[in-house]
Amino acid sequence: MKRTGQKLLRFDRRLGARFVAGADEAGRGSLAGPLVVAGVLLDYGSLRDHRVRPLGFLNDSKQCSPERREDLFRAVVGCAERVAVRVIPPGEIDRNGLHRSNLAGLRAMLGALTPPAEACLVDGFRLGPSAPEHTAVIDGDEKSAAIAAASVVAKVVRDRAMRRLHTLYPAYGFASHVGYITPAHSAKVREHGPSHIHRRSFQALCYLSEDEARARVTQAG
């Protein structure tokens, strides 16, 4: 596997700051389960030699296998100056809206890392004036080590949570799709109805009967 970590680390080092914070989320597009936001603070004054080697395969979490993500999670926790995580439950997403919940979570993560963060990076989103001074980096989890590290932490924490929730709601197959929309997941929702951890504010076709879903698709076409 290609060692992408050095490229991502160089991106952050070019900022000229010692402490670089990155924030990202996992589960934004999921039909069930929480949204998990994470922040990681890297100290580039001490992140060198043997301390940086474990980050050699660091990458956007979506580009990594589950096994690689688990390895990287341990590497990030071992190398980072600070790690912050917030789990936003489905009920809060339904009350406040997905985008608003996401922005509030990302702001909280940067706030938890500042100070000492001198440079704050977020994957894609401007977080508004109440957030610490930050830079929105498009596709940041493929460019910045701090954002990629936050991406890995958020994804691993969320996947572990969904596997635990599978034991409470075994009928839905959360252990395999971790709450995202798949044909099998949609079929189970139609069969059993949505669980307590499904996001009811989402206008998902699988919340409808097959006849209702077919009519909705026909109208849209």
Side-chain angles (χ1 to χ4, degrees), residues 1-7 52-58:
M1 180 176 287
K2 187 176 180 181
R3 296 179 68 89
T4 52
Q6 289 302 321
K7 181 184 73 171
V52 80
R53 286 193 200 104
L55 301 181
F57 291 105
L58 187 62

Side-chain angles (χ1 to χ4, degrees), residues 152-172:
V152 167
V153 170
K155 177 65 173 166
V156 169
V157 169
R158 187 178 187 279
D159 284 0
R160 290 177 179 178
M162 293 306 296
R163 288 193 292 270
R164 289 193 295 270
L165 287 168
H166 175 79
T167 64
L168 298 177
Y169 304 96
Y172 297 93

